[in-house]
Amino acid sequence: MTADHQHLQRAIALAHANVAQGGRPFGAVVTRNGDVLVEAVNEIHLTQDPTAHAELLAIRAASQHVGARLEGCVIYASGQPCPMCLSAMYLCGVERVVFAASNETAEPFGLSTAAIGQQVGLPLAEQRLPIQHLPDAAMTALYQQWKSLHAPE
């Protein structure tokens, strides 16, 4: 069994255990250089936090170990990462993502996030959620202040 299969099987086992405890069928494992950094499961049923996805919780925990940038890390997920989790993966710089169940597999069970992915891929004006941009020049000044405080020396 390859390392990818081994870590993915662990994510699936976490998802299985989570279902047995009343949760959703989602587990995630974060590795770096082949070593497991953290494991997590979907905790929406425990916290009522709709962002408590296994992948996000795993990213948060891994960041506590290695910092906000997760270069060199691989995330193994039992299900296809939703747009929120995928965005977080891009933001933290994970190297790779491996998942077991696709949105197509999840769809008949009400667990697909494909529709959300389609919405966020549209221009803002075409999305179902009304999104209004009210430009404010103070934000440009604030961004400039931040950049001057964080400029490379």
Side-chain angles (χ1 to χ4, degrees), residues 4-134:
D4 279 350
H5 284 98
Q6 180 181 351
H7 295 309
L8 192 56
Q9 287 302 308
R10 179 61 187 154
I12 293 168
L14 290 166
H16 191 272
N18 202 41
V19 168
Q21 296 174 3
R24 295 180 183 207
F26 301 109
V29 175
V30 178
T31 66
R32 185 181 231 178
N33 300 322
D35 298 323
V36 174
L37 287 178
V38 297
E39 298 177 341
V41 296
N42 183 295
E43 294 184 1
I44 293 173
H45 68 294
L46 299 174
T47 64
Q48 298 306 305
D49 175 355
T51 69
H53 291 199
E55 300 93 331
L56 273 187
L57 295 176
I59 288 169
R60 291 173 186 154
S63 296
Q64 295 299 311
H65 291 291
V66 299
R69 300 297 303 163
L70 299 182
E71 282 101 353
C73 291
V74 178
I75 296 182
Y76 297 88
S78 59
Q80 184 170 343
C82 75
M84 173 182 66
C85 293
L86 193 57
S87 295
M89 292 173 195
Y90 276 106
L91 285 169
C92 69
V94 298
E95 178 178 297
R96 202 162 54 94
V97 181
V98 179
F99 67 92
S102 68
N103 275 325
E104 292 77 19
T105 301
E107 180 67 34
F109 306 98
L111 296 171
S112 173
T113 58
I116 296 169
Q118 291 169 344
Q119 280 296 305
V120 298
L122 294 172
L124 294 180
E126 295 176 26
Q127 292 184 29
R128 189 177 72 232
L129 178 67
I131 303 171
Q132 185 177 6
H133 176 211
L134 292 175

